[in-house]
Protein backbone atom coordinates (compact mmCIF):
# COMPACT_ATOMS: atom_id res chain seq x y z
CA UNK A 1 0.00 0.00 0.00
CA UNK A 2 1.40 3.36 -1.00
CA UNK A 3 0.80 6.13 1.56
CA UNK A 4 0.76 9.50 -0.18
CA UNK A 5 0.38 11.75 2.88
CA UNK A 6 -1.68 12.52 5.95
CA UNK A 7 -4.04 15.27 7.05
CA UNK A 8 -4.53 16.60 10.55
CA UNK A 9 -8.21 16.60 11.50
CA UNK A 10 -9.33 19.70 13.42
CA UNK A 11 -12.86 20.27 14.69
CA UNK A 12 -13.64 23.99 14.92
CA UNK A 13 -16.63 25.93 16.26
CA UNK A 14 -16.69 28.48 13.43
CA UNK A 15 -15.25 27.32 10.11
CA UNK A 16 -15.63 30.79 8.55
CA UNK A 17 -13.33 32.27 11.19
CA UNK A 18 -10.86 29.36 11.11
CA UNK A 19 -10.39 29.09 7.32
CA UNK A 20 -8.53 32.41 6.77
CA UNK A 21 -6.02 31.55 9.54
CA UNK A 22 -5.25 28.12 8.07
CA UNK A 23 -5.13 29.45 4.51
CA UNK A 24 -2.44 31.93 5.53
CA UNK A 25 -0.64 29.33 7.66
CA UNK A 26 -0.59 26.71 4.88
CA UNK A 27 -0.22 29.18 2.02
CA UNK A 28 -3.18 27.85 0.05
CA UNK A 29 -6.88 28.12 -0.63
CA UNK A 30 -9.44 25.93 1.11
CA UNK A 31 -11.26 23.26 -0.84
CA UNK A 32 -14.70 23.11 0.73
CA UNK A 33 -17.47 20.55 0.79
CA UNK A 34 -20.23 19.34 3.09
CA UNK A 35 -20.87 15.79 4.18
CA UNK A 36 -23.55 14.58 6.56
CA UNK A 37 -24.29 18.08 7.87
CA UNK A 38 -20.61 18.76 8.56
CA UNK A 39 -18.82 21.57 6.73
CA UNK A 40 -15.30 20.58 5.69
CA UNK A 41 -12.38 22.70 4.48
CA UNK A 42 -9.18 21.02 3.25
CA UNK A 43 -6.18 23.36 3.34
CA UNK A 44 -2.74 21.86 2.81
CA UNK A 45 -2.28 19.23 5.52
CA UNK A 46 -5.22 20.52 7.59
CA UNK A 47 -8.76 19.17 7.43
CA UNK A 48 -11.12 21.55 9.27
CA UNK A 49 -14.57 20.30 10.26
CA UNK A 50 -17.52 22.15 11.77
CA UNK A 51 -21.08 21.07 12.41
CA UNK A 52 -23.48 19.50 14.89
CA UNK A 53 -21.78 18.30 18.07
CA UNK A 54 -23.21 14.79 17.68
CA UNK A 55 -21.42 14.47 14.32
CA UNK A 56 -18.18 16.04 15.56
CA UNK A 57 -18.09 13.69 18.54
CA UNK A 58 -17.82 10.77 16.13
CA UNK A 59 -15.28 12.54 13.89
CA UNK A 60 -13.00 13.31 16.86
CA UNK A 61 -12.40 9.58 17.31
CA UNK A 62 -10.52 9.44 14.00
CA UNK A 63 -6.83 10.17 14.63
CA UNK A 64 -5.90 11.27 11.09
CA UNK A 65 -6.77 10.97 7.44
CA UNK A 66 -4.26 8.94 5.41
CA UNK A 67 -4.11 9.50 1.64
CA UNK A 68 -3.39 6.28 -0.24
CA UNK A 69 -3.11 5.39 -3.91
CA UNK A 70 -5.90 2.78 -3.72
CA UNK A 71 -8.48 2.30 -0.94
CA UNK A 72 -9.20 -1.27 -2.08
CA UNK A 73 -5.54 -2.16 -1.63
CA UNK A 74 -5.56 -0.49 1.80
CA UNK A 75 -8.66 -2.53 2.71
CA UNK A 76 -6.96 -5.81 1.79
CA UNK A 77 -3.77 -4.96 3.67
CA UNK A 78 -5.52 -3.61 6.77
CA UNK A 79 -7.81 -6.62 7.14
CA UNK A 80 -4.88 -8.94 6.49
CA UNK A 81 -3.01 -7.27 9.34
CA UNK A 82 -5.93 -7.65 11.76
CA UNK A 83 -7.50 -4.19 11.48
CA UNK A 84 -11.30 -3.91 11.70
CA UNK A 85 -12.90 -1.93 8.87
CA UNK A 86 -15.68 0.10 10.50
CA UNK A 87 -17.05 1.72 7.33
CA UNK A 88 -16.39 1.65 3.61
CA UNK A 89 -15.01 1.72 1.12
CA UNK A 90 -17.58 4.34 0.07
CA UNK A 91 -17.57 7.17 -2.49
CA UNK A 92 -16.66 10.69 -1.32
CA UNK A 93 -16.71 14.06 -3.13
CA UNK A 94 -13.03 13.51 -4.03
CA UNK A 95 -12.75 9.72 -4.41
CA UNK A 96 -13.34 6.93 -1.89
CA UNK A 97 -12.69 6.32 1.79
CA UNK A 98 -12.82 3.77 4.55
CA UNK A 99 -12.57 3.98 8.32
CA UNK A 100 -10.50 1.33 10.07
CA UNK A 101 -9.65 0.52 13.67
CA UNK A 102 -6.09 -0.75 14.02
CA UNK A 103 -5.39 -3.64 16.40
CA UNK A 104 -4.14 -1.10 19.00
CA UNK A 105 -7.57 0.60 19.02
CA UNK A 106 -6.63 3.74 17.07
CA UNK A 107 -9.01 4.77 14.29
CA UNK A 108 -7.90 6.19 10.93
CA UNK A 109 -9.61 7.28 7.74
CA UNK A 110 -8.00 6.10 4.50
CA UNK A 111 -8.83 8.04 1.29
CA UNK A 112 -7.97 7.86 -2.39
CA UNK A 113 -8.85 10.02 -5.36
CA UNK A 114 -10.12 7.22 -7.57
CA UNK A 115 -13.68 7.27 -8.84
Amino acid sequence: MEILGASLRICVDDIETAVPFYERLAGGTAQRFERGGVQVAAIGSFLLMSGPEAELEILRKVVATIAVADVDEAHRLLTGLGAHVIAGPVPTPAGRNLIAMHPDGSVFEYVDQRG
Side-chain angles (χ1 to χ4, degrees), residues 34-67:
E34 185 174 325
R35 185 154 185 208
V38 175
Q39 295 178 347
V40 180
I43 311 160
S45 294
F46 300 102
L47 191 61
L48 307 180
M49 297 171 288
S50 182
E53 185 54 40
E55 296 293 328
L56 295 180
E57 181 180 347
I58 295 166
L59 295 172
R60 284 187 182 101
K61 295 177 181 180
V62 179
V63 175
T65 297
I66 308 295

mmCIF file of all heavy atoms in Angstrom, residues 34-67:
data_model
loop_
_atom_site.group_PDB
_atom_site.id
_atom_site.type_symbol
_atom_site.label_atom_id
_atom_site.label_comp_id
_atom_site.label_asym_id
_atom_site.label_seq_id
_atom_site.Cartn_x
_atom_site.Cartn_y
_atom_site.Cartn_z
ATOM 1 N N GLU A 34 -19.417 19.703 1.931
ATOM 2 C CA GLU A 34 -20.228 19.343 3.086
ATOM 3 C C GLU A 34 -20.560 17.867 2.998
ATOM 4 O O GLU A 34 -20.787 17.329 1.913
ATOM 5 C CB GLU A 34 -21.518 20.159 3.116
ATOM 6 C CG GLU A 34 -22.331 19.903 4.363
ATOM 7 C CD GLU A 34 -23.542 20.813 4.473
ATOM 8 O OE1 GLU A 34 -23.457 21.984 4.064
ATOM 9 O OE2 GLU A 34 -24.576 20.333 4.961
ATOM 10 N N ARG A 35 -20.550 17.221 4.152
ATOM 11 C CA ARG A 35 -20.872 15.793 4.183
ATOM 12 C C ARG A 35 -21.592 15.478 5.489
ATOM 13 O O ARG A 35 -21.059 15.728 6.562
ATOM 14 C CB ARG A 35 -19.596 14.972 4.065
ATOM 15 C CG ARG A 35 -19.902 13.500 3.978
ATOM 16 C CD ARG A 35 -18.812 12.775 3.267
ATOM 17 N NE ARG A 35 -19.203 11.397 3.109
ATOM 18 C CZ ARG A 35 -18.365 10.422 3.029
ATOM 19 N NH1 ARG A 35 -17.078 10.659 3.053
ATOM 20 N NH2 ARG A 35 -18.789 9.186 2.890
ATOM 21 N N GLY A 36 -22.790 14.965 5.375
ATOM 22 C CA GLY A 36 -23.552 14.579 6.560
ATOM 23 C C GLY A 36 -23.812 15.719 7.525
ATOM 24 O O GLY A 36 -23.798 15.514 8.728
ATOM 25 N N GLY A 37 -24.036 16.922 7.012
ATOM 26 C CA GLY A 37 -24.288 18.075 7.866
ATOM 27 C C GLY A 37 -23.050 18.722 8.435
ATOM 28 O O GLY A 37 -23.133 19.678 9.204
ATOM 29 N N VAL A 38 -21.875 18.212 8.073
ATOM 30 C CA VAL A 38 -20.607 18.764 8.556
ATOM 31 C C VAL A 38 -19.944 19.534 7.422
ATOM 32 O O VAL A 38 -19.790 19.011 6.320
ATOM 33 C CB VAL A 38 -19.667 17.646 9.065
ATOM 34 C CG1 VAL A 38 -18.305 18.205 9.450
ATOM 35 C CG2 VAL A 38 -20.300 16.916 10.240
ATOM 36 N N GLN A 39 -19.568 20.776 7.699
ATOM 37 C CA GLN A 39 -18.816 21.572 6.733
ATOM 38 C C GLN A 39 -17.349 21.187 6.856
ATOM 39 O O GLN A 39 -16.820 21.074 7.968
ATOM 40 C CB GLN A 39 -18.974 23.061 7.009
ATOM 41 C CG GLN A 39 -20.374 23.566 6.822
ATOM 42 C CD GLN A 39 -20.473 25.043 7.157
ATOM 43 O OE1 GLN A 39 -19.583 25.636 7.734
ATOM 44 N NE2 GLN A 39 -21.592 25.636 6.787
ATOM 45 N N VAL A 40 -16.696 20.993 5.713
ATOM 46 C CA VAL A 40 -15.297 20.576 5.686
ATOM 47 C C VAL A 40 -14.505 21.535 4.816
ATOM 48 O O VAL A 40 -14.977 21.957 3.762
ATOM 49 C CB VAL A 40 -15.158 19.141 5.144
ATOM 50 C CG1 VAL A 40 -13.700 18.699 5.117
ATOM 51 C CG2 VAL A 40 -16.008 18.165 5.955
ATOM 52 N N ALA A 41 -13.307 21.886 5.271
ATOM 53 C CA ALA A 41 -12.384 22.704 4.482
ATOM 54 C C ALA A 41 -11.015 22.035 4.534
ATOM 55 O O ALA A 41 -10.445 21.852 5.610
ATOM 56 C CB ALA A 41 -12.298 24.126 5.030
ATOM 57 N N ALA A 42 -10.507 21.632 3.365
ATOM 58 C CA ALA A 42 -9.184 21.024 3.255
ATOM 59 C C ALA A 42 -8.209 22.103 2.806
ATOM 60 O O ALA A 42 -8.407 22.735 1.759
ATOM 61 C CB ALA A 42 -9.211 19.877 2.259
ATOM 62 N N ILE A 43 -7.172 22.321 3.630
ATOM 63 C CA ILE A 43 -6.179 23.355 3.345
ATOM 64 C C ILE A 43 -4.805 22.759 3.631
ATOM 65 O O ILE A 43 -4.448 22.544 4.790
ATOM 66 C CB ILE A 43 -6.380 24.598 4.224
ATOM 67 C CG1 ILE A 43 -7.834 25.055 4.209
ATOM 68 C CG2 ILE A 43 -5.440 25.718 3.788
ATOM 69 C CD1 ILE A 43 -8.225 25.929 5.366
ATOM 70 N N GLY A 44 -4.042 22.483 2.593
ATOM 71 C CA GLY A 44 -2.737 21.856 2.808
ATOM 72 C C GLY A 44 -2.910 20.566 3.577
ATOM 73 O O GLY A 44 -3.697 19.697 3.212
ATOM 74 N N SER A 45 -2.209 20.439 4.689
ATOM 75 C CA SER A 45 -2.282 19.230 5.517
ATOM 76 C C SER A 45 -3.350 19.302 6.597
ATOM 77 O O SER A 45 -3.438 18.424 7.449
ATOM 78 C CB SER A 45 -0.926 18.976 6.190
ATOM 79 O OG SER A 45 0.036 18.670 5.211
ATOM 80 N N PHE A 46 -4.176 20.337 6.572
ATOM 81 C CA PHE A 46 -5.217 20.521 7.591
ATOM 82 C C PHE A 46 -6.586 20.201 7.017
ATOM 83 O O PHE A 46 -6.919 20.604 5.909
ATOM 84 C CB PHE A 46 -5.209 21.960 8.114
ATOM 85 C CG PHE A 46 -3.912 22.365 8.734
ATOM 86 C CD1 PHE A 46 -3.015 23.155 8.040
ATOM 87 C CD2 PHE A 46 -3.575 21.952 10.012
ATOM 88 C CE1 PHE A 46 -1.805 23.538 8.595
ATOM 89 C CE2 PHE A 46 -2.366 22.322 10.585
ATOM 90 C CZ PHE A 46 -1.475 23.109 9.877
ATOM 91 N N LEU A 47 -7.393 19.485 7.796
ATOM 92 C CA LEU A 47 -8.764 19.172 7.430
ATOM 93 C C LEU A 47 -9.655 19.726 8.542
ATOM 94 O O LEU A 47 -9.746 19.154 9.628
ATOM 95 C CB LEU A 47 -8.939 17.666 7.294
ATOM 96 C CG LEU A 47 -10.219 17.159 6.675
ATOM 97 C CD1 LEU A 47 -10.373 17.657 5.239
ATOM 98 C CD2 LEU A 47 -10.234 15.640 6.699
ATOM 99 N N LEU A 48 -10.266 20.895 8.281
ATOM 100 C CA LEU A 48 -11.121 21.548 9.269
ATOM 101 C C LEU A 48 -12.538 21.017 9.127
ATOM 102 O O LEU A 48 -13.032 20.833 8.016
ATOM 103 C CB LEU A 48 -11.125 23.060 9.058
ATOM 104 C CG LEU A 48 -9.786 23.764 9.007
ATOM 105 C CD1 LEU A 48 -9.990 25.249 8.788
ATOM 106 C CD2 LEU A 48 -8.981 23.508 10.255
ATOM 107 N N MET A 49 -13.202 20.800 10.262
ATOM 108 C CA MET A 49 -14.570 20.296 10.258
ATOM 109 C C MET A 49 -15.393 21.067 11.272
ATOM 110 O O MET A 49 -14.916 21.347 12.373
ATOM 111 C CB MET A 49 -14.585 18.807 10.597
ATOM 112 C CG MET A 49 -13.846 17.964 9.581
ATOM 113 S SD MET A 49 -13.646 16.251 10.090
ATOM 114 C CE MET A 49 -12.426 16.424 11.373
ATOM 115 N N SER A 50 -16.619 21.419 10.889
ATOM 116 C CA SER A 50 -17.518 22.149 11.768
ATOM 117 C C SER A 50 -18.937 21.675 11.511
ATOM 118 O O SER A 50 -19.318 21.444 10.359
ATOM 119 C CB SER A 50 -17.404 23.658 11.495
ATOM 120 O OG SER A 50 -18.225 24.387 12.371
ATOM 121 N N GLY A 51 -19.705 21.521 12.589
ATOM 122 C CA GLY A 51 -21.076 21.071 12.415
ATOM 123 C C GLY A 51 -21.702 20.695 13.737
ATOM 124 O O GLY A 51 -21.192 21.059 14.809
ATOM 125 N N PRO A 52 -22.777 19.918 13.672
ATOM 126 C CA PRO A 52 -23.476 19.499 14.892
ATOM 127 C C PRO A 52 -22.544 18.695 15.812
ATOM 128 O O PRO A 52 -21.773 17.861 15.351
ATOM 129 C CB PRO A 52 -24.617 18.625 14.379
ATOM 130 C CG PRO A 52 -24.766 18.969 12.931
ATOM 131 C CD PRO A 52 -23.419 19.413 12.464
ATOM 132 N N GLU A 53 -22.660 18.954 17.100
ATOM 133 C CA GLU A 53 -21.777 18.299 18.072
ATOM 134 C C GLU A 53 -21.877 16.778 18.014
ATOM 135 O O GLU A 53 -20.872 16.088 18.166
ATOM 136 C CB GLU A 53 -22.072 18.793 19.493
ATOM 137 C CG GLU A 53 -21.115 18.262 20.537
ATOM 138 C CD GLU A 53 -19.635 18.501 20.224
ATOM 139 O OE1 GLU A 53 -19.286 19.592 19.719
ATOM 140 O OE2 GLU A 53 -18.821 17.593 20.476
ATOM 141 N N ALA A 54 -23.057 16.245 17.753
ATOM 142 C CA ALA A 54 -23.211 14.785 17.677
ATOM 143 C C ALA A 54 -22.351 14.210 16.560
ATOM 144 O O ALA A 54 -21.758 13.133 16.715
ATOM 145 C CB ALA A 54 -24.674 14.420 17.463
ATOM 146 N N GLU A 55 -22.261 14.916 15.426
ATOM 147 C CA GLU A 55 -21.420 14.468 14.315
ATOM 148 C C GLU A 55 -19.942 14.636 14.642
ATOM 149 O O GLU A 55 -19.125 13.762 14.362
ATOM 150 C CB GLU A 55 -21.757 15.246 13.040
ATOM 151 C CG GLU A 55 -23.155 15.026 12.530
ATOM 152 C CD GLU A 55 -23.385 13.615 12.023
ATOM 153 O OE1 GLU A 55 -22.441 13.000 11.500
ATOM 154 O OE2 GLU A 55 -24.518 13.128 12.147
ATOM 155 N N LEU A 56 -19.591 15.776 15.233
ATOM 156 C CA LEU A 56 -18.180 16.045 15.559
ATOM 157 C C LEU A 56 -17.652 15.067 16.601
ATOM 158 O O LEU A 56 -16.488 14.692 16.559
ATOM 159 C CB LEU A 56 -18.004 17.483 16.039
ATOM 160 C CG LEU A 56 -18.289 18.572 15.004
ATOM 161 C CD1 LEU A 56 -18.077 19.950 15.629
ATOM 162 C CD2 LEU A 56 -17.443 18.407 13.766
ATOM 163 N N GLU A 57 -18.508 14.647 17.520
ATOM 164 C CA GLU A 57 -18.092 13.688 18.543
ATOM 165 C C GLU A 57 -17.579 12.404 17.900
ATOM 166 O O GLU A 57 -16.576 11.836 18.320
ATOM 167 C CB GLU A 57 -19.273 13.388 19.470
ATOM 168 C CG GLU A 57 -18.936 12.429 20.587
ATOM 169 C CD GLU A 57 -20.132 12.149 21.479
ATOM 170 O OE1 GLU A 57 -21.146 12.858 21.389
ATOM 171 O OE2 GLU A 57 -20.035 11.200 22.269
ATOM 172 N N ILE A 58 -18.253 11.966 16.855
ATOM 173 C CA ILE A 58 -17.822 10.768 16.127
ATOM 174 C C ILE A 58 -16.523 11.052 15.372
ATOM 175 O O ILE A 58 -15.576 10.263 15.404
ATOM 176 C CB ILE A 58 -18.929 10.308 15.160
ATOM 177 C CG1 ILE A 58 -20.148 9.861 15.958
ATOM 178 C CG2 ILE A 58 -18.430 9.199 14.246
ATOM 179 C CD1 ILE A 58 -21.409 9.713 15.137
ATOM 180 N N LEU A 59 -16.454 12.194 14.692
ATOM 181 C CA LEU A 59 -15.282 12.541 13.892
ATOM 182 C C LEU A 59 -14.019 12.697 14.736
ATOM 183 O O LEU A 59 -12.923 12.419 14.263
ATOM 184 C CB LEU A 59 -15.544 13.827 13.097
ATOM 185 C CG LEU A 59 -16.632 13.711 12.035
ATOM 186 C CD1 LEU A 59 -16.951 15.082 11.456
ATOM 187 C CD2 LEU A 59 -16.224 12.740 10.949
ATOM 188 N N ARG A 60 -14.165 13.134 15.978
ATOM 189 C CA ARG A 60 -13.002 13.314 16.860
ATOM 190 C C ARG A 60 -12.310 11.994 17.193
ATOM 191 O O ARG A 60 -11.160 11.978 17.609
ATOM 192 C CB ARG A 60 -13.419 14.005 18.153
ATOM 193 C CG ARG A 60 -13.656 15.472 18.002
ATOM 194 C CD ARG A 60 -13.899 16.138 19.365
ATOM 195 N NE ARG A 60 -14.180 17.534 19.187
ATOM 196 C CZ ARG A 60 -15.392 18.088 19.221
ATOM 197 N NH1 ARG A 60 -16.436 17.332 19.463
ATOM 198 N NH2 ARG A 60 -15.554 19.369 19.029
ATOM 199 N N LYS A 61 -12.988 10.888 17.006
ATOM 200 C CA LYS A 61 -12.396 9.583 17.314
ATOM 201 C C LYS A 61 -11.402 9.129 16.249
ATOM 202 O O LYS A 61 -10.626 8.216 16.478
ATOM 203 C CB LYS A 61 -13.500 8.542 17.489
ATOM 204 C CG LYS A 61 -14.369 8.840 18.689
ATOM 205 C CD LYS A 61 -15.499 7.871 18.844
ATOM 206 C CE LYS A 61 -16.314 8.281 20.065
ATOM 207 N NZ LYS A 61 -17.434 7.435 20.329
ATOM 208 N N VAL A 62 -11.434 9.777 15.085
ATOM 209 C CA VAL A 62 -10.520 9.436 14.001
ATOM 210 C C VAL A 62 -9.235 10.232 14.173
ATOM 211 O O VAL A 62 -9.254 11.466 14.193
ATOM 212 C CB VAL A 62 -11.157 9.716 12.621
ATOM 213 C CG1 VAL A 62 -10.198 9.385 11.503
ATOM 214 C CG2 VAL A 62 -12.458 8.928 12.473
ATOM 215 N N VAL A 63 -8.117 9.538 14.327
ATOM 216 C CA VAL A 63 -6.832 10.168 14.629
ATOM 217 C C VAL A 63 -6.348 11.051 13.479
ATOM 218 O O VAL A 63 -5.903 12.170 13.696
ATOM 219 C CB VAL A 63 -5.773 9.088 14.957
ATOM 220 C CG1 VAL A 63 -4.407 9.695 15.151
ATOM 221 C CG2 VAL A 63 -6.196 8.289 16.173
ATOM 222 N N ALA A 64 -6.410 10.532 12.255
ATOM 223 C CA ALA A 64 -5.900 11.268 11.094
ATOM 224 C C ALA A 64 -6.503 10.687 9.829
ATOM 225 O O ALA A 64 -7.062 9.590 9.832
ATOM 226 C CB ALA A 64 -4.378 11.189 11.024
ATOM 227 N N THR A 65 -6.383 11.443 8.753
ATOM 228 C CA THR A 65 -6.774 10.973 7.436
ATOM 229 C C THR A 65 -5.512 10.644 6.660
ATOM 230 O O THR A 65 -4.617 11.483 6.542
ATOM 231 C CB THR A 65 -7.597 12.049 6.696
ATOM 232 O OG1 THR A 65 -8.800 12.281 7.438
ATOM 233 C CG2 THR A 65 -7.944 11.608 5.288
ATOM 234 N N ILE A 66 -5.434 9.419 6.146
ATOM 235 C CA ILE A 66 -4.264 8.943 5.414
ATOM 236 C C ILE A 66 -4.626 8.844 3.934
ATOM 237 O O ILE A 66 -5.555 8.126 3.564
ATOM 238 C CB ILE A 66 -3.823 7.545 5.919
ATOM 239 C CG1 ILE A 66 -3.648 7.519 7.436
ATOM 240 C CG2 ILE A 66 -2.571 7.073 5.179
ATOM 241 C CD1 ILE A 66 -2.558 8.392 7.960
ATOM 242 N N ALA A 67 -3.905 9.580 3.088
ATOM 243 C CA ALA A 67 -4.114 9.500 1.640
ATOM 244 C C ALA A 67 -3.333 8.308 1.098
ATOM 245 O O ALA A 67 -2.141 8.148 1.391
ATOM 246 C CB ALA A 67 -3.654 10.789 0.959
#
